[in-house]
Amino acid sequence: LALYFHIGEREEKCIIEDIPSDTLVIGNYKVQRWDIRKHDFLESAPGLGMFVTVTSPSGEVLMSKLYGPQGTFSFTSYLSGEHIICFQSNSTRFAVTAGSKLRIHLDIRVGEHFLDESTIQAKDTVNEVNVRLEHLIEQIHHVTKEQEYEREREEKFRKTSEETNSNILWWAIVQTLILISVGIWQIKSLRDFFISKKLV
């Protein structure tokens, strides 16, 4: 997932990532500050840090840390589901004066270790092949885990659909019974009314 978004200097912005359990997540970000004179975002925002907070699907805070204007954060999920990743600058300016707009470039890798190319190049060919094979095996494990997670979600969705269909069917039966009961009651009431008025 690679994207960028804009936030106010004192604003908090969150994104939601659906992550399987026991999965490593690595995020890289860079902050740029809007320059009024140049009418453009400066290449970096020196002196400005970012609080990065990660919350699990159960509401537990997995990570909350202050980084610089650009940085790398990582965490491992222990529950599958929607994880909330929030960003907020450490600006201490008052809301009235903190009018700068920030652009955050964000790159999130789920279930993937970054290969250190310089380390690989420094080793011989056999070790390089070994490292790349390990990386491929790790990616295969991640894909397998993702597929299992998707199967779990699909099964959960199917059960919910079946329960909903069953409830709709029973509600339709109850409605039909109520309508028949009301119809019989109305016929009986009309019949009793006509008999009491000696119309039949």
Side-chain angles (χ1 to χ4, degrees), residues 37-72:
R37 290 185 300 277
K38 294 183 179 178
H39 293 284
D40 196 8
F41 286 95
L42 298 175
E43 191 52 37
S44 65
L48 195 66
M50 292 299 291
F51 284 105
V52 181
T53 307
V54 180
T55 310
S56 74
S58 64
E60 181 184 342
V61 176
L62 296 179
M63 187 197 83
S64 184
K65 194 173 176 184
L66 175 63
Y67 294 89
Q70 66 180 61
T72 300

Side-chain angles (χ1 to χ4, degrees), residues 60-107:
E60 181 184 342
V61 176
L62 296 179
M63 187 197 83
S64 184
K65 194 173 176 184
L66 175 63
Y67 294 89
Q70 66 180 61
T72 300
F73 61 92
S74 64
F75 65 93
T76 302
S77 63
Y78 68 91
L79 277 177
S80 58
E82 293 183 340
H83 289 67
I84 302 170
I85 305 169
C86 296
F87 297 87
Q88 186 175 26
S89 75
N90 67 339
S91 173
T92 53
R93 297 203 290 174
F94 292 112
V96 178
T97 57
S100 293
K101 187 163 58 171
L102 305 176
R103 175 184 284 173
I104 299 176
H105 296 267
L106 179 63
D107 181 25

Side-chain angles (χ1 to χ4, degrees), residues 3-139:
L3 54 89
Y4 74 83
F5 52 88
H6 295 142
I7 63 171
E9 195 172 332
R10 293 175 57 86
E11 182 186 351
E12 183 181 51
K13 190 87 165 189
C14 299
I15 63 167
I16 296 172
E17 272 290 306
D18 208 346
I19 304 168
S21 60
D22 300 319
T23 302
L24 175 68
V25 178
I26 300 172
N28 283 309
Y29 75 88
K30 181 176 81 170
V31 182
Q32 294 176 304
R33 181 184 263 148
W34 177 256
D35 189 292
I36 298 171
R37 290 185 300 277
K38 294 183 179 178
H39 293 284
D40 196 8
F41 286 95
L42 298 175
E43 191 52 37
S44 65
L48 195 66
M50 292 299 291
F51 284 105
V52 181
T53 307
V54 180
T55 310
S56 74
S58 64
E60 181 184 342
V61 176
L62 296 179
M63 187 197 83
S64 184
K65 194 173 176 184
L66 175 63
Y67 294 89
Q70 66 180 61
T72 300
F73 61 92
S74 64
F75 65 93
T76 302
S77 63
Y78 68 91
L79 277 177
S80 58
E82 293 183 340
H83 289 67
I84 302 170
I85 305 169
C86 296
F87 297 87
Q88 186 175 26
S89 75
N90 67 339
S91 173
T92 53
R93 297 203 290 174
F94 292 112
V96 178
T97 57
S100 293
K101 187 163 58 171
L102 305 176
R103 175 184 284 173
I104 299 176
H105 296 267
L106 179 63
D107 181 25
I108 293 179
R109 304 285 176 92
V110 178
E112 186 178 319
H113 292 282
F114 289 115
L115 285 174
D116 189 348
E117 294 295 334
S118 60
T119 307
I120 291 170
Q121 287 169 3
K123 297 182 176 181
D124 58 24
T125 311
V126 174
N127 283 343
E128 181 182 342
V129 170
N130 241 353
V131 170
R132 292 201 182 274
L133 271 175
E134 285 174 9
H135 186 68
L136 279 174
I137 289 166
E138 190 177 294
Q139 284 184 321

